[in-house]
Amino acid sequence: MRPASVLADYAVKPGVADELFDGQGVMRPVWASFMEQFARLSPEQVAERFARGNQYLRDVGVFYRQYSADPLQEREWPLSHVPVILHERDWDEICAGLAQRAELLERVVADLYGEAQLVRDGHLPAILVAQNPEWHRPLVGIAPASGHFLHLIAFEIGRSPDGSWLVLGDRTQSPSGAGFALENRMATARIFPDPFPRANVRRLAGFFRAFRGAMDALPGAHGRRAAVLSPGPGNDTYFEHSYIARYLGLPLLEGDDLIVQNGEVRVRTVSGPQPVGVLWRRLDTAYADPLELDESSHIGTPGLVDAVRQSNVNIVNALGSGILETRALLAFLPKIAEVLLGEPLRIPNIATWWCGQPSEREVVKANAEGMFIGDALSRALPFDIGSAGPLAEAARTLSGDALSDWIDANAPNLVGQEAVTLSTTPCWVEDRLMPRPMSVRVFAARTPQGWSFLPGGYARVGRTGDAAALSMQQGGSVADVWIMCDGPAAPDTLLDRESFRREDTGALPSRTADNLYWLGRYVERTEGAIRLLRGYHLRLAETGDPFDGSLREVADLLAALFLDVGQPAPAAIAPALGAARVCAGRVRDRFSVDGWAALNDLVNSLEAMSGTFQPGDESARQLSVLLRKITGFNGLVHENMHRTSGWRFLTFGRAIERADAAAAAVAACMEGNGAATGLLDMALEYGDSRVTHQRRYRIDPTRETVADLLALDSHNPRSILFQVTSMRRIAEDLPRARVQGRVSDLLGALLRLETDLVVSRPGDVTPERLRAVRAALAGVSTALSAAYLA
């Protein structure tokens, strides 16, 4: 069957295996039901469905970072919308072969950091270990607490022209992609919602349940937290770190969150240091400990290696396991398998020759035109051209005798690998399906029952027919992988099959509390700036004259509050909103999808406003839209967030910023031109209290009425006293609020400030008094930081 509408130009190149058609040009049975349904869709329906999947990925904020001059530039997840489909029989054979390889890799890394028998017996050249940047001498002789070096492995595999599978590379350092596989599946479920054939596709959740259970069962993990250890938001796969932490219910930590005390790893929390039993590390070994590894690292934890040495923490995967990714190692694994396992590899890896051996060097020189030649110690895959290194770049510029001489001169540092001719899979290109090269990433997790495999989920697809353009950094895309059963797949979820139990969420890490606190402050600062600027532009729309006397008073007022009406409003708002987004990004695992989408919508709206800014009525209208969106974000976050320590610090930040800004605004209005009614009216607008003032006082605003409403009214959520009372109540619920009957410095400062405001009268509220209030609030912030955020 070849549906003409979508497969008219689907031409498989000679000598290339294809996932859709076999060698005789007959569609593989596993694709038949899917293609039958897909062929019924019109181009418009296909476009609508693909857009639905893309929108889902945008809404949940799936991104990766492409290497560029801007290290924090987020790029949309490049989904290849048509899944790769494999039959479960083929998949089970693949997994059986890779389980053997996983055991081999475990034995190899144990030997490299143990007896070094492979080097001693000549099965592995010493130079490939001793000069390898991924072999770390301080780790030699350290046995992992769990007894195993490897707990999670990813294998990059591709189908060769004869239809068999090859291992292109092993990923053991900190394998990425399993979390993205979940989002691939969620997106394709929206693109192809039809119950059949999706009902026959194996589920992914069971793999993660088994892996989480395996981490909980590691020695010393009972009663101590497991956590994901991330390099931070600058990493290209940070989204996955935060997503997988949220999905598995694990805290997301960075190196600065951890301290080592008496050889034990602890996380800094608002309740004091708490023990950690398992760290699923997502950063490279070299950066993990600046004391014993790379001293220039700013993202590691001093003393972590010593904690591992004392078997006080389990690391997934063990530090130093990245050496298994070395490209040259592939040249020796086939023989090592026979030595260590007593049998050949069931799934061979890509043919590799290390040029440090004379006979192998001659093979590479004789076949150089059909090989990929690169750095022997590189961890890059054959098609990862962008990260292949300078030796690979140099090899591509030479040929003939010049290349031969160059290989001789650099022999110990070079490997030759067969040119990768990957199988192709259907990819939607310009309204029709076209074959594109692909590789599949297979994830394996060690469990008490053996190696468990994620059933599909992640394939890399080239944007052209060239396998060298397979990586995302080179413009490639990622597809879901469906493992198709002959009948309905067994249902599976992340839930344990045990009886109900409520998990302890653990104490809040101090860094998380710090970011939540400042997120609350920056969002409130942004809202205040929007309100003040809107007030100015509403008045500008009424007068039409920016040099009007009363409008100049308002402009001077805003200048005193560090808002320049001479610059476009978006430029004045952007710094605070940008800082809020940075803080939110650092605690992304704490955010709901809706909360993150609302914040992104706010940022995007501000960027769109930047290109259409017009002073006056149009700006006031746009600022009103931003105001509604930011209040919507506040509502989503504050109303839906669980009332634990995270919510307390977020709310505390919002309250202290609102109180401080109210004091600054009221003081500036009282001082401006004898406290003109227009300025006091501006203060009421900033406090969103004009209607309340009109109903309560029935007169034009005066110093006393504004002070009463915005400073001393205990029922007005925009008043200083209301916010101070809110902070005092939160402080009472924070850890160590009272020690041996005495209140903490934070609670004492708030009690004094609250009492001072409660006994004050409107006439007491002067600009000088308000500046004293602001100084007291600064002291409150300092006390909070000293007690919980340091």
Side-chain angles (χ1 to χ4, degrees):
M1 180 185 69
R2 178 182 282 269
S5 58
V6 293
L7 289 171
D9 296 322
Y10 196 93
V12 181
K13 293 181 179 180
V16 177
D18 185 68
E19 299 303 320
L20 180 57
F21 294 104
D22 62 20
Q24 287 70 47
V26 177
M27 182 176 292
R28 300 181 190 272
V30 73
W31 283 87
S33 56
F34 172 82
M35 290 304 305
E36 182 180 353
Q37 291 191 12
F38 189 80
R40 297 194 192 112
L41 301 175
S42 68
E44 293 75 20
Q45 289 174 314
V46 171
E48 189 275 330
R49 288 189 175 207
F50 288 179
R52 191 186 307 161
N54 293 340
Q55 187 61 51
Y56 165 78
L57 294 171
R58 282 192 293 269
D59 288 344
V60 299
V62 183
F63 72 91
Y64 78 104
R65 300 196 193 284
Q66 192 171 41
Y67 305 133
S68 67
D70 181 0
L72 296 181
Q73 180 63 45
E74 296 180 359
R75 301 183 185 273
E76 289 189 4
W77 185 245
L79 180 69
S80 182
H81 305 87
V82 179
V84 175
I85 304 179
L86 302 174
H87 195 276
E88 62 176 343
R89 285 191 300 273
D90 297 331
W91 184 255
D92 290 342
E93 290 180 7
I94 290 171
C95 294
L98 294 180
Q100 178 213 39
R101 189 178 186 89
E103 285 304 316
L104 173 63
L105 294 176
E106 172 68 34
R107 295 195 188 188
V108 170
V109 70
D111 179 79
L112 293 178
Y113 287 103
E115 297 297 326
Q117 198 68 36
L118 291 173
V119 172
R120 186 176 296 112
D121 294 345
H123 300 302
L124 195 60
I127 189 175
L128 294 181
V129 178
Q131 293 189 5
N132 197 316
E134 292 302 326
W135 185 73
H136 301 276
R137 189 176 296 277
L139 301 174
V140 173
I142 299 179
S146 67
H148 297 290
F149 285 80
L150 302 178
H151 308 86
L152 180 70
I153 309 176
F155 304 94
E156 201 79 24
I157 65 173
R159 198 191 291 270
S160 64
D162 65 4
S164 63
W165 290 92
L166 292 171
V167 174
L168 306 174
D170 306 296
R171 288 289 175 255
T172 55
Q173 176 79 272
S174 54
S176 64
F180 287 121
L182 287 167
E183 288 294 13
N184 291 342
R185 182 60 51 87
M186 296 295 289
T188 54
R190 283 155 175 77
I191 297 170
F192 304 107
D194 313 276
F196 184 80
R198 282 187 58 249
N200 290 17
V201 178
R202 284 190 187 177
R203 311 299 196 266
L204 304 180
F207 171 84
F208 294 97
R209 185 186 65 251
F211 179 51
R212 184 177 62 183
M215 284 196 293
D216 290 341
L218 290 173
H222 181 70
R224 296 194 286 176
R225 295 291 291 173
V228 178
L229 179 60
S230 170
N235 187 264
D236 58 336
T237 58
Y238 180 73
F239 167 83
E240 185 192 25
H241 304 170
S242 59
Y243 176 86
I244 206 74
R246 184 170 63 243
Y247 181 72
L248 295 180
L250 301 175
L252 181 64
L253 305 178
E254 297 177 22
D256 283 347
D257 292 327
L258 301 172
I259 57 173
V260 178
Q261 297 176 327
N262 301 320
E264 185 177 56
V265 179
R266 294 176 175 268
V267 56
R268 307 172 197 263
T269 78
V270 297
S271 300
Q274 301 292 322
V276 176
V278 181
L279 288 173
W280 179 6
R281 69 176 178 93
R282 303 305 302 269
L283 76 167
D284 289 357
T285 295
Y287 304 120
D289 184 348
L291 283 183
E292 298 200 49
L293 300 172
D294 186 345
E295 65 181 14
S296 67
S297 172
H298 296 287
I299 58 176
T301 303
L304 184 61
V305 169
D306 189 53
V308 174
R309 186 179 291 115
Q310 297 186 43
S311 298
N312 287 334
V313 66
N314 294 280
I315 307 290
V316 179
N317 286 328
L319 296 173
S321 55
I323 192 173
L324 296 172
E325 299 183 0
T326 305
R327 180 182 284 144
L329 189 62
L330 296 175
F332 301 93
L333 282 180
K335 180 60 183 296
I336 291 174
E338 296 183 358
V339 172
L340 296 182
L341 304 180
E343 59 184 6
L345 290 171
R346 297 179 193 173
I347 300 180
N349 51 242
I350 183 174
T352 305
W353 296 266
W354 178 52
C355 295
Q357 297 168 302
S359 59
E360 283 75 5
R361 180 164 68 249
E362 293 306 316
V363 171
V364 172
K365 289 163 63 175
N367 299 276
E369 297 302 322
M371 283 190 179
F372 174 85
I373 300 174
D375 190 333
L377 301 183
S378 171
R379 294 158 49 202
L381 296 169
F383 48 75
D384 285 340
I385 301 300
S387 56
L391 290 177
E393 291 290 337
R396 286 199 295 271
T397 64
L398 300 172
S399 61
D401 291 341
L403 177 59
S404 180
D405 293 342
W406 180 82
I407 291 174
D408 286 332
N410 295 278
N413 301 319
L414 296 174
V415 291
Q417 292 182 296
E418 65 175 323
V420 182
T421 304
L422 296 175
S423 64
T424 53
T425 191
C427 183
W428 190 252
V429 181
E430 297 179 356
D431 297 334
R432 64 194 64 220
L433 291 172
M434 300 291 287
R436 290 292 181 262
M438 71 96 192
S439 68
V440 177
R441 182 165 291 186
V442 185
F443 297 91
R446 184 187 296 279
T447 72
Q449 294 73 39
W451 288 99
S452 174
F453 287 82
L454 180 69
Y458 194 102
R460 299 212 271 182
V461 181
R463 61 183 171 88
T464 67
D466 182 9
L470 208 60
S471 72
M472 286 189 292
Q473 302 298 338
Q474 300 298 312
S477 56
V478 179
D480 191 7
V481 178
W482 290 3
I483 307 305
M484 191 75 72
C485 307
D486 291 328
D492 211 346
T493 71
L494 190 64
L495 298 176
D496 289 323
R497 294 184 175 89
E498 303 175 7
S499 59
F500 164 81
R501 70 178 187 271
R502 177 178 289 177
E503 295 282 357
D504 181 9
T505 58
L508 184 72
S510 296
R511 178 188 55 83
T512 303
D514 189 34
N515 280 285
L516 288 170
Y517 170 71
W518 282 102
L519 173 63
R521 294 202 68 162
Y522 285 129
V523 170
E524 182 62 29
R525 192 173 299 176
T526 302
E527 181 180 340
I530 292 173
R531 289 184 180 279
L532 288 169
L533 289 168
R534 185 182 67 164
Y536 172 82
H537 286 284
L538 284 171
R539 286 158 177 76
L540 178 60
E542 293 172 1
T543 65
D545 180 8
F547 300 103
D548 176 80
S550 60
L551 198 59
R552 289 306 310 165
E553 291 177 351
V554 174
D556 292 341
L557 166 65
L558 267 60
L561 299 173
F562 304 103
L563 291 172
D564 182 5
V565 298
Q567 67 176 161
I573 298 167
L577 185 57
R581 193 172 187 275
V582 169
C583 290
R586 296 184 69 90
V587 291
R588 194 162 179 175
D589 58 309
R590 303 269 169 173
F591 267 84
S592 69
V593 170
D594 288 336
W596 183 256
L599 183 57
N600 273 336
D601 183 44
L602 185 62
V603 172
N604 293 336
S605 297
L606 183 64
E607 290 177 352
M609 179 180 169
S610 299
T612 60
F613 177 76
Q614 294 293 331
D617 183 66
E618 178 63 18
S619 286
R621 185 190 63 79
Q622 291 177 321
L623 288 164
S624 294
V625 172
L626 290 180
L627 186 59
R628 289 192 292 271
K629 290 189 175 185
I630 200 168
T631 53
F633 168 77
N634 278 326
L636 276 170
V637 173
H638 287 275
E639 295 305 317
N640 297 337
M641 198 170 183
H642 199 253
R643 275 4 184 213
T644 50
S645 293
W647 177 86
R648 294 187 185 109
F649 281 93
L650 180 70
T651 305
F652 198 105
R654 181 188 187 189
I656 196 171
E657 185 67 29
R658 182 171 289 185
D660 182 70
V666 174
C669 290
M670 285 182 172
E671 289 182 319
N673 192 26
T677 300
L679 295 182
L680 294 173
D681 189 64
M682 189 73 176
L684 293 174
E685 185 164 327
Y686 166 75
D688 198 20
S689 299
R690 294 178 68 183
V691 173
T692 302
H693 184 277
Q694 185 176 356
R695 295 186 62 179
R696 172 175 292 184
Y697 303 103
R698 299 186 181 183
I699 59 173
D700 288 337
T702 66
R703 286 175 180 257
E704 289 74 17
T705 60
V706 170
D708 185 44
L709 187 58
L710 295 185
L712 306 178
D713 191 336
S714 62
H715 299 290
N716 182 9
R718 292 281 172 178
S719 77
I720 300 170
L721 176 58
F722 185 97
Q723 299 304 325
V724 170
T725 300
S726 297
M727 286 186 281
R728 187 261 302 164
R729 290 171 177 166
I730 292 171
E732 288 176 339
D733 290 333
L734 291 176
R736 306 187 304 279
R738 288 181 169 83
V739 179
Q740 297 180 346
R742 299 184 65 85
V743 299
S744 66
D745 290 345
L746 172 64
L747 186 53
L750 286 165
L751 284 169
R752 286 191 293 272
L753 181 55
E754 183 182 26
T755 301
D756 186 51
L757 290 169
V758 166
V759 300
S760 294
R761 296 292 181 267
D764 300 331
V765 180
T766 63
E768 293 75 15
R769 183 75 175 277
L770 290 169
R771 283 192 283 271
V773 168
R774 295 192 70 195
L777 290 171
V780 167
S781 182
T782 300
L784 179 81
S785 297
Y788 302 107
L789 308 183

